[in-house]
Amino acid sequence: MTREVDFLIVGAGSAGSVLAARLSEDSRHSVLVLERGGSDRSIFIQMPTALSIPMNSEKYNWFYETEPEPHLGGRRLHCPRGRVIGGSSSINGMVYIRGNPADFDRWEEEGADGWSYADVLPYFRRAETRAEGGDAYRGDSGPLHTSYGPCRNPLYSAFVEAGVAAGYAETPDVNGYRQEGFGRMDMTVHKGRRWSTANAYLKPALKRENLDLLTNVLVRRILFEGGRAVGAEIERRGRTEIVRARREVILSAGPIGTPQILKLSGVGPAEELRGLGIPVVADRPGVGENLQDHLEFYFQVACTQPITLYSHMSPVAKGMIGARWIVFEDGLGATNHFETCGFIRSRAGVRYPDIQYHFLPAAVRYDGAAHVDRHGFQAHVGPMRSKSHGFVRLASPDPRDKPSIRFNYMSHPDDWEEMRACVRLTREIFAQAPFDPYRGEEIQPGADVTSDEAIDAWIAENVESAYHPSCSARMGRKDDRLAVVDPEGRVYGVEGLRVVDSSVMPSITTGNLNAPTIMIGEKMADHILGRPPLPRSNAPYFVHPAWQTAQR
């Protein structure tokens, strides 16, 4: 069977759903989206507090795993990716962090011309409707609804107050003028429901006659004729089919899936492809390289008052939370529980924040399992700009086989210095007076973990991925052999093929990646349609005036 459309989008995730909506706004364009996963009709996806369930379900998660990481004692780390409409925005922690404005100015320096903060801020604003209203930084009329949690638990404000007591600033908006400091954390939750890109963009757009979605589809490879991408070979319902694209094929399969499909299609390092018997269409050595992520650990402290989420972890309590959410879509079921946060610099001489905090009034693991049998609170903390980079490589030429993934975590000595700073600076924050009414013993790392050697050993055994893979098909200038796409997402060496997802980031941003990935979808849509970019912003942003000599 053969089908033909104008635009073929591979992946209905955080960026693909945005593209589906924006490219189909003009009824003259026919758009087809191919998704490996299926429906998001699950209470566990839509109820924010249940976030750990879809993240740990093989129905909704690709369940990628790294190769043994040599600098972490050979541990294999979990690398979840969404396998459902909405992609990872349907299984993530719903944290909305755009990144530091300086990240995007750095992108431009790294070869992503036209992606400075002044260029991208208008697209962040176009995407967003902020519950508190818009301003020069925030949007008020976009499909993506963002909101703050209610911060009813006193531990949320204690965390911010402790940061201030330690000498840092309180910031009114980490996504506005000033990221550096402590404050409230935005989430992609609207009227008590997860506001994934499936809910925000894809489902409303599917009402249009010129947009179609095929789920449970395996994309075997992109098809080329004379160096031009003309469609895809897919597997559906046990049959092989061809889908042709009159205008363009757009890969939005994410930082793991996109380089895998590119390589299966003959676009990648020639030596790797030939070794697997794959005909080379374009020798692009950067495909699958430059893979980046954030690592974090959970700094946990016992709580002396019975006010934490531990009170709500019994089956009966969880059932009551779920029942209330089903009826009213509010209460503890309507939050991701990451309601305050912080961004600080690890040392003097760092220009903008390189450490992020998510605060949680419980001592648990990200998979939802109780880590301790008592009341506690924790900060997820980790460095933002690791110098350790990895790769995504094919394990075989079979599209059903998962690729080989290695991040080379902690392979650079600076990473260890930054992790030690995370431990010591966090311990100092939790020692401040605002936590005096609540602070019990340090659960982990533990009060005796103080020397460099002890911290390093604990980190190697306990650090986890923050689930922010990116940069594996990066944007760059034409003369950069390791660049995979140009600043408009066009794949070098071929025609008619673009990449639009977090893999095109030249370097990882300071914070969670869903917000910038959605922005990438918004901006790339204009490039694909040949529209002039939105007018650049002249909104300034904060850089600490004494950053060269002071850590705070």
Side-chain angles (χ1 to χ4, degrees):
M1 294 179 64
T2 301
R3 180 173 179 173
E4 189 167 273
V5 293
D6 292 322
F7 294 108
L8 178 62
I9 301 169
V10 178
S14 296
S17 292
V18 175
L19 286 179
R22 294 306 187 190
L23 298 185
S24 63
E25 284 176 334
D26 187 331
S27 61
R28 295 173 297 177
H29 304 143
S30 59
V31 182
L32 176 62
V33 185
L34 306 176
E35 168 57 42
R36 185 68 176 110
S39 171
D40 66 344
R41 291 178 184 170
S42 165
I43 186 176
F44 300 120
I45 288 179
Q46 302 303 330
M47 180 169 38
T49 195
L51 64 94
S52 67
I53 296 175
M55 186 180 290
N56 291 280
S57 166
E58 292 192 7
K59 182 176 180 180
Y60 304 117
N61 180 2
W62 280 95
F63 262 86
Y64 293 121
E65 191 178 57
T66 71
E67 298 295 329
E69 291 287 348
H71 300 274
L72 296 179
R75 292 166 56 207
R76 291 179 181 267
L77 272 64
H78 186 33
C79 181
R81 294 285 88 200
R83 184 175 172 166
V84 57
I85 63 168
S88 295
S89 75
S90 289
I91 69 167
N92 69 359
M94 290 156 283
V95 171
Y96 181 81
I97 293 291
R98 293 176 173 181
N100 191 281
D103 291 327
F104 307 101
D105 289 343
R106 186 180 76 244
W107 280 11
E108 188 158 62
E109 294 168 7
E110 292 168 339
D113 296 327
W115 289 82
S116 72
Y117 184 62
D119 294 303
V120 303
L121 179 54
Y123 288 97
F124 278 117
R125 294 183 70 246
R126 184 170 86 176
E128 183 188 23
T129 291
R130 184 190 189 209
E132 287 72 23
D135 56 25
Y137 300 90
R138 307 300 294 269
D140 59 10
S141 57
L144 185 73
H145 286 268
T146 65
S147 60
Y148 288 133
C151 286
R152 294 190 182 99
N153 192 304
L155 290 168
Y156 287 122
S157 55
F159 182 67
V160 175
E161 291 163 10
V164 173
Y168 302 99
E170 181 174 355
T171 174
D173 185 2
V174 295
N175 287 309
Y177 166 71
R178 178 174 180 147
Q179 184 191 53
E180 185 167 344
F182 288 74
R184 300 180 79 178
M185 186 173 249
D186 296 90
M187 57 184 178
T188 48
V189 173
H190 179 48
K191 294 182 178 178
R193 298 175 71 86
R194 174 192 290 272
W195 209 243
S196 66
T197 57
N199 285 336
Y201 288 91
L202 183 61
K203 291 177 187 176
L206 282 170
K207 296 173 184 175
R208 302 169 186 154
E209 292 185 359
N210 61 323
L211 174 64
D212 199 5
L213 166 70
L214 297 181
T215 57
N216 301 300
V217 170
L218 173 68
V219 175
R220 298 185 60 85
R221 62 190 175 108
I222 305 302
L223 300 174
F224 292 91
E225 291 178 1
R228 180 175 182 84
V230 295
E233 179 185 283
I234 67 173
E235 222 175 275
R236 182 170 171 249
R237 296 173 180 169
R239 296 191 300 182
T240 299
E241 302 177 19
I242 302 297
V243 182
R244 295 184 64 87
R246 286 185 288 266
R247 292 186 59 170
E248 291 191 10
V249 178
I250 305 156
L251 273 177
S252 296
I256 309 301
T258 284
Q260 180 185 21
I261 294 171
L262 282 171
K263 290 181 178 185
L264 290 169
S265 308
V267 179
E271 185 176 352
E272 179 185 347
L273 302 185
R274 291 190 184 110
L276 292 169
I278 298 172
V280 178
V281 175
D283 178 15
R284 300 306 307 178
V287 174
E289 302 300 306
N290 193 47
L291 181 66
Q292 298 176 32
D293 191 15
H294 292 140
L295 280 178
E296 65 180 13
F297 60 88
Y298 312 138
F299 197 110
Q300 298 180 331
V301 179
C303 187
T304 57
Q305 297 189 34
I307 58 172
T308 75
L309 295 177
Y310 181 69
S311 300
H312 305 281
M313 289 185 178
S314 70
V316 172
K318 288 181 178 179
M320 291 176 66
I321 290 169
R324 174 170 175 166
W325 184 86
I326 289 169
V327 176
F328 301 109
E329 294 193 348
D330 66 2
L332 288 175
T335 175
N336 62 358
H337 304 291
F338 295 119
E339 297 183 13
T340 53
C341 65
F343 290 90
I344 67 174
R345 292 174 293 113
S346 61
R347 57 181 173 80
V350 175
R351 185 168 178 266
Y352 63 100
D354 61 341
I355 293 175
Q356 178 183 14
Y357 290 103
H358 302 64
F359 179 77
L360 192 65
V364 296
R365 296 185 59 84
Y366 211 124
D367 61 9
H371 207 182
V372 291
D373 56 355
R374 61 186 133 163
H375 285 278
F377 49 87
Q378 70 187 38
H380 297 206
V381 54
M384 291 288 96
R385 294 187 291 281
S386 168
K387 296 183 176 69
S388 300
H389 299 169
F391 57 77
V392 178
R393 294 177 185 161
L394 294 180
S396 83
D398 186 340
R400 293 184 177 277
D401 289 343
K402 293 178 181 179
S404 171
I405 304 165
R406 180 180 290 166
F407 289 92
N408 289 317
Y409 292 125
M410 305 300 291
S411 58
H412 195 284
D414 288 358
D415 295 347
W416 293 97
E417 183 178 340
E418 291 165 1
M419 279 291 184
R420 292 176 205 133
C422 288
V423 171
R424 289 169 175 144
L425 293 171
T426 307
R427 187 171 280 147
E428 179 191 18
I429 290 165
F430 280 145
Q432 300 300 312
F435 275 113
D436 286 352
Y438 313 110
R439 187 191 318 106
E441 67 174 316
E442 183 179 307
I443 300 170
Q444 68 171 35
D448 58 335
V449 180
T450 57
S451 68
D452 286 359
E453 294 76 16
I455 291 173
D456 290 354
W458 188 86
I459 288 294
E461 195 171 313
N462 292 279
V463 77
E464 297 287 346
S465 170
Y467 309 148
H468 300 158
S470 52
C471 311
S472 53
R474 69 176 175 85
M475 284 188 279
R477 299 186 179 100
K478 191 174 184 179
D479 59 358
D480 182 352
R481 277 285 289 159
L482 292 178
V484 177
V485 303
D486 73 5
E488 295 191 4
R490 295 173 293 207
V491 177
Y492 285 120
V494 297
E495 295 180 348
L497 180 63
R498 296 196 204 226
V499 173
V500 182
D501 56 36
S502 68
S503 62
V504 305
M505 295 179 176
S507 53
I508 198 165
T509 54
T510 305
N512 311 68
L513 298 193
N514 197 234
T517 302
I518 292 168
M519 176 276 292
I520 288 169
E522 286 276 8
K523 190 171 187 295
M524 287 293 194
D526 279 357
H527 293 311
I528 293 166
L529 294 171
R531 294 173 176 164
L534 295 178
R536 301 175 85 236
S537 170
N538 59 5
Y541 65 86
F542 176 83
V543 176
H544 198 292
W547 69 268
Q548 292 173 304
T549 56
Q551 183 263 332
R552 66 191 84 175

